[in-house]
């Protein structure tokens, strides 16, 4: 493998800047391009297994080949075979074994996932089959078509094809399963956060040594777990939720992640049993009524959320929240919390807003 190994990391739309920053801060490589849900980077150390530990990425791939987008016409599908030949799949599979110890170069089969932007008179399965059949022919292994509806065997090499209107790109996923499928995520509840988004929120919170970190409506515990995994130096992690089912899910995930330092309690998010000005960082996805209905004090007085956050934060405290719209920020400002960073992201096609709040002055 050449010393200028190229990788492509994918993320939720809107998290591209956070993903690029994480790559640079972890000294994994230099950014070569940022596109729709993708960050391309050239590895400084081609065999650095750290690329598989990116927390804000949904997935990470070896770049196989790029070519022109074939357009929207079905007769152009055979052109995708040229992309496979250009990718040199055996070379990529060999490099994958250096990055993931459990991977093997002698794969028993291949599977392909495709996505494209714009209108086409073919579907994703047609594109997948065009690439998958050529990969199978070159590697002399079976191809599992996704159009059958069955899950591919877990040891099949996972390839990805993207058509963005300008370029066709063929990628090989490095890990057996996508990075966003965290091993600790054994239990979920409505409103559970996408782990890479939770990781991005905790990075924005600037958690440091000795900090007390709070999630006043912790749900399944994703934000606290991502924070504790990335920042073990923080002194205390506190999670509260009024729903016993959510707390049970959080405890199950905490146990799987082996994070006993996360303390979980049942309480109303509008009245957290902690003294004033004792929390350094708050990370939270409040129940705004989109996926989870507010309960107790928040149901009666929605602005109680901001009043409680302001009461709990130290003078130098920071809160990072996920909002469905920027509308709730007016009562936050009235409670003495100023937005210092606002970022729009998309999850499952819906816009959300990550907001960082601090005290004035």
């Amino acid at each position: 493998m050449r010393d200028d190994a190229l990788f492509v990391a994918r993320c939720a739309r809107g998290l591209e800047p956070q993903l690029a920053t994480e790559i640079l801060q972890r000294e994994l490589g230099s950014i070569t391009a940022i596109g729709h849900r993708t960050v391309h980077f050239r590895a400084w150390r081609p065999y650095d297994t750290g690329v598989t530990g990116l927390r804000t990425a949904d997935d990470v791939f070896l770049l196989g080949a790029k070519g022109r987008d074939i357009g929207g016409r079905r007769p152009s599908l055979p052109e995708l075979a040229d992309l496979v030949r250009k990718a040199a799949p055996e070379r990529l599979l060999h490099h994958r074994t250096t990055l993931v110890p459990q991977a093997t170069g002698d794969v028993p089969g291949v599977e392909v996932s495709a996505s494209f932007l714009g209108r086409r008179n073919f579907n994703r399965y047609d594109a997948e089959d065009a690439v998958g059949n050529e990969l199978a022919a070159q590697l002399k292994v079976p191809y599992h078509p996704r159009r059958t509806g069955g899950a591919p065997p877990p040891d099949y090499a996972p390839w990805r094809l993207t058509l963005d209107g300008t370029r066709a790109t063929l990628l090989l996923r490095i890990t057996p399963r996508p990075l966003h499928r965290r091993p600790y995520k054994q239990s979920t509840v409505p409103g559970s956060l996408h782990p890479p988004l939770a990781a991005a929120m905790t990075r924005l919170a600037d958690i440091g040594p000795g900090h007390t970190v709070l999630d006043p409506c912790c749900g399944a515990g994703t934000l606290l777990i991502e924070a504790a995994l990335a920042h073990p130096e923080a002194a205390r992690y506190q999670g509260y939720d009024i729903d016993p089912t959510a707390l049970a899910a959080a405890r199950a995930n905490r146990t799987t992640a082996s994070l006993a330092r996360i303390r979980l309690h049942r309480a109303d998010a509008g009245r957290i049993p902690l003294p004033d000005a004792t929390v350094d960082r708050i990370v939270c996805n409040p129940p705004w009524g989109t996926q989870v209905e507010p309960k107790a004090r928040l149901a009666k007085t929605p602005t109680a959320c901001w009043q409680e956050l302001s009461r709990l934060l130290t003078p130098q405290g920071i809160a990072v929240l996920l909002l469905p719209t920027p509308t709730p920020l007016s009562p936050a400002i009235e409670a003495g919390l100023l937005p210092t960073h606002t970022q729009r992201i998309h999850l499952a096609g819906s816009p959300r807003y990550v907001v960082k709040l601090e005290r004035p002055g």
Side-chain angles (χ1 to χ4, degrees), residues 15 42 70 106 113 118-119 127 199 208 290 296 318:
L15 289 186
R42 189 182 306 277
I70 61 172
D106 298 324
S113 175
R119 297 177 63 86
T290 52
I318 293 173

Side-chain angles (χ1 to χ4, degrees), residues 205-228:
D206 192 24
I207 297 169
H211 280 166
T212 293
V213 182
L214 167 71
D215 186 346
C217 34
C218 66
T222 309
L223 273 164
L224 289 173
I225 292 173
E226 290 293 328

Side-chain angles (χ1 to χ4, degrees), residues 24-243:
L24 293 175
Q25 288 180 341
R26 297 180 62 173
E27 300 184 347
L28 295 176
S30 55
I31 308 301
T32 59
I34 298 177
H36 174 76
R37 296 190 59 194
T38 60
V39 177
H40 298 236
F41 63 102
R42 189 182 306 277
W44 292 333
R45 299 172 296 276
Y47 304 106
D48 188 348
T49 57
V51 298
T52 65
L54 288 167
R55 306 299 297 182
T56 58
D58 281 2
D59 224 339
V60 62
F61 302 85
L62 282 163
L63 176 61
K66 290 183 179 181
R68 73 173 188 87
D69 191 312
I70 61 172
R73 296 172 55 81
R74 181 181 293 271
S76 300
L77 283 168
E79 296 179 22
L80 293 173
D82 294 333
L83 197 66
V84 176
R85 288 188 282 270
K86 183 180 177 182
E90 288 188 359
R91 175 182 62 86
L92 284 182
L93 287 169
H94 172 73
H95 185 44
R96 181 171 174 252
T97 64
T98 67
L99 294 165
V100 182
Q102 63 267 37
T104 173
D106 298 324
V107 296
V110 296
E111 54 106 350
V112 181
S113 175
S115 63
F116 52 74
L117 300 176
R119 297 177 63 86
R120 318 270 172 158
N121 67 2
F122 56 83
N123 59 39
R124 57 172 287 192
Y125 302 120
D126 298 325
E128 289 169 356
D129 290 349
V131 169
N133 287 324
E134 182 63 25
L135 282 168
Q138 286 204 32
L139 296 170
K140 298 179 175 58
V141 295
Y143 159 60
H144 176 88
R146 286 179 175 264
R147 71 168 72 239
T148 62
D155 52 354
Y156 273 31
W159 297 80
R160 183 170 181 84
L161 169 72
T162 63
L163 302 169
D164 65 6
T166 302
R167 288 188 177 275
T169 305
L170 184 61
L171 310 163
L172 173 63
R173 185 196 299 141
I174 296 174
T175 54
R177 54 188 268 165
L179 293 185
H180 68 84
R181 295 182 184 172
R182 305 289 206 248
Y184 70 78
K185 197 82 170 180
Q186 300 297 310
S187 298
T188 62
V189 293
S192 286
L193 269 185
H194 186 57
L197 171 57
M201 291 174 63
T202 63
R203 288 175 63 85
L204 187 60
D206 192 24
I207 297 169
H211 280 166
T212 293
V213 182
L214 167 71
D215 186 346
C217 34
C218 66
T222 309
L223 273 164
L224 289 173
I225 292 173
E226 290 293 328
L229 289 172
H231 305 281
E233 71 279 7
R236 298 199 317 167
Y237 288 94
Q238 300 281 345
Y240 292 84
D241 205 289
I242 198 168
D243 185 354

